[in-house]
Amino acid sequence: MKKILVLLLTLIFGGNIMLEAKDWDKTFPENENVTIKKVTFKNRFGIELSGDLYTPKIKTKEKLPAIAISGPFGAVKEQASGLYAQTLAQRGFITLAFDPSFTGESKGTPRDVASPDINTEDFSAAVDFLSNDKSVDKDRIGILGICGFGGFALNAASIDTRIKATITSTMYDMNRVNAYGYFDSMKEEDRYKLKQELNNQRTLDYKSNSYKKAQGLPDKLTGKEEQFIVDYWNYYKTNRGFHPRSINSNGNWNLTSSLSFINSLLLSYSQEIKSAVLMIHGDKAHSKYFSLDAYKKLKGDNKELLIIEGANHTDLYDNLEKIPFDRIVEFYNKNL
């Protein structure tokens, strides 16, 4: 019945639609001081994105600042991005946690594929939506990217001048890790061999009319994994953060998805960002070097790097003792 109602509303009114998010399907507790609505909106490629719009239950006639949030890479809005969104909504912001194209409840085929261009556009599409919300001050919109979507957030901020403040949390540079491996361990010949393997797979995928999946997290740990794999597993594969729609919890990326990242430079123009940027990373995170190097490229006196003592990569997904929400709120209040 709900699907029929959605179709009728779309036909009658067109554009964006909203539904009450009544059934709690998140990996974090519900906050009674925040209202949540299911929303849909389209990006510039015509892909319909699904999001949860979090609004503080406060009485005000003033328009509020807003923040679009996505990530981690391979996660869904019911996981870390939703936790950030609900927490910041409780602190007075309208927030939009959304599923990127081809993942979660968002549309787009094939499924389980990522793109440096399209996923950057997803952030700008979220800004489109928020800019047209009657409760939002369109001149006070920021974004927040977690993990791989931290890189997409910086890329979006370098092209979209409507974005007034950007935060990255435990950022990954997805181009760098795909092109050179962790800690830049791949050499030029390694890159060539990888491209050969992936392009050969394209031929096989076309023949089979399907997509071979990349290796994901193991169903069980053997005790021989690197610590950061254990950290990911403890988030995505346990009750702490498991969600059936999450690629990292219950699926795999398409193997050839990485091709679009290998020859791209996601942060090519990040030095041109004039708006405020706050980059947050844990000092124990294997991925810290992504933020350290990306921060060095930023220019201006409104760029900040915050290193959280004792935090690993996934601590900044959901550890409320590690995520510096007071500092995040201070940053957005100052710059939005």
Side-chain angles (χ1 to χ4, degrees):
M1 179 60 72
K2 182 179 286 187
K3 290 183 178 179
I4 296 175
L5 177 60
V6 171
L7 177 60
L8 289 174
L9 289 172
T10 305
L11 291 172
I12 295 171
F13 298 106
N16 304 318
I17 58 174
M18 296 188 183
L19 290 171
E20 291 290 345
K22 293 182 178 179
D23 298 324
W24 193 253
D25 57 353
K26 324 300 184 193
T27 61
F28 49 89
E30 185 174 8
N31 189 307
E32 62 181 11
N33 296 313
V34 176
T35 298
I36 309 170
K37 290 182 181 292
K38 290 281 189 184
V39 301
T40 63
F41 54 98
K42 288 186 177 181
N43 66 18
R44 191 169 53 86
F45 295 97
I47 300 171
E48 184 180 88
L49 303 180
S50 176
D52 288 329
L53 188 70
Y54 294 77
T55 305
K57 290 182 179 179
I58 56 176
K59 292 183 178 181
T60 179
K61 294 182 180 180
E62 295 182 2
K63 294 187 175 184
L64 298 175
I67 306 163
I69 306 171
S70 196
F73 192 77
V76 288
K77 64 188 180 300
E78 290 79 15
Q79 295 173 310
S81 61
L83 172 63
Y84 275 73
Q86 181 176 255
T87 304
L88 291 174
Q90 184 186 7
R91 305 288 285 271
F93 301 89
I94 292 175
T95 59
L96 174 62
F98 64 90
D99 288 333
S101 296
F102 312 110
T103 66
E105 293 184 314
S106 289
K107 305 298 184 181
T109 55
R111 304 302 294 168
D112 305 333
V113 67
S115 160
D117 186 13
I118 296 175
N119 291 142
T120 297
E121 160 63 20
D122 289 343
F123 265 117
S124 288
V127 174
D128 293 341
F129 174 85
L130 291 171
S131 296
N132 286 279
D133 187 297
K134 63 181 181 181
S135 299
V136 170
D137 183 341
K138 67 180 180 63
D139 295 319
R140 300 172 69 196
I141 296 176
I143 61 175
L144 192 155
I146 307 166
C147 185
F149 278 80
F152 298 133
L154 286 180
N155 205 37
S158 71
I159 187 63
D160 195 333
T161 56
R162 300 171 300 172
I163 297 169
K164 305 305 181 185
T166 300
I167 289 180
T168 69
S169 181
T170 198
M171 188 203 85
Y172 254 56
D173 181 341
M174 295 305 301
N175 288 127
R176 183 174 177 181
V177 74
N178 277 282
Y180 297 106
Y182 282 106
F183 309 108
D184 302 328
S185 60
M186 290 172 58
K187 306 303 181 184
E188 183 175 336
E189 187 59 30
D190 298 322
R191 277 170 47 81
Y192 186 77
K193 290 179 180 178
L194 176 60
K195 287 187 283 188
Q196 280 184 311
E197 293 172 3
L198 292 175
N199 284 296
N200 287 338
Q201 187 59 51
R202 288 187 62 140
T203 302
L204 296 174
D205 287 349
Y206 184 88
K207 183 177 182 180
S208 66
N209 194 30
S210 63
Y211 293 90
K212 184 176 180 179
K213 295 297 184 178
Q215 182 178 357
L217 290 172
D219 290 331
K220 294 182 179 180
L221 296 176
T222 65
K224 298 180 180 180
E225 292 83 5
E226 294 283 351
Q227 183 58 46
F228 71 93
I229 298 296
V230 176
D231 294 337
Y232 282 133
W233 194 93
N234 285 332
Y235 179 75
Y236 287 109
K237 293 291 190 176
T238 70
N239 289 336
R240 172 184 166 194
F242 178 88
H243 197 280
R245 286 193 295 271
S246 168
I247 294 172
N248 294 340
S249 287
N250 199 34
N252 304 78
W253 289 100
N254 291 348
L255 180 59
T256 56
S257 181
S258 59
L259 271 170
S260 61
F261 291 98
I262 290 176
N263 276 18
S264 300
L265 292 174
L266 193 63
L267 305 182
S268 295
Y269 298 99
S270 59
Q271 73 278 3
E272 296 183 1
I273 300 173
K274 293 187 176 182
S275 56
V277 175
L278 171 62
M279 303 189 69
I280 304 168
H281 225 109
D283 72 335
K284 302 298 184 184
H286 69 285
S287 52
K288 182 175 66 172
Y289 69 102
F290 291 128
S291 285
L292 295 179
D293 288 352
Y295 177 73
K296 291 175 185 176
K297 192 175 178 181
L298 300 177
K299 296 180 180 180
D301 58 6
N302 58 352
K303 314 298 189 294
E304 304 173 57
L305 175 66
L306 178 61
I307 302 298
I308 306 301
E309 184 178 353
N312 64 30
H313 184 84
T314 57
D315 280 334
L316 297 185
Y317 287 3
D318 67 337
N319 188 332
L320 297 180
E321 294 182 359
K322 299 292 186 182
I323 302 173
F325 276 115
D326 287 344
R327 183 68 188 86
I328 289 171
V329 169
E330 178 186 352
F331 172 82
Y332 280 131
N333 281 336
K334 176 182 177 181
N335 295 290
L336 291 182

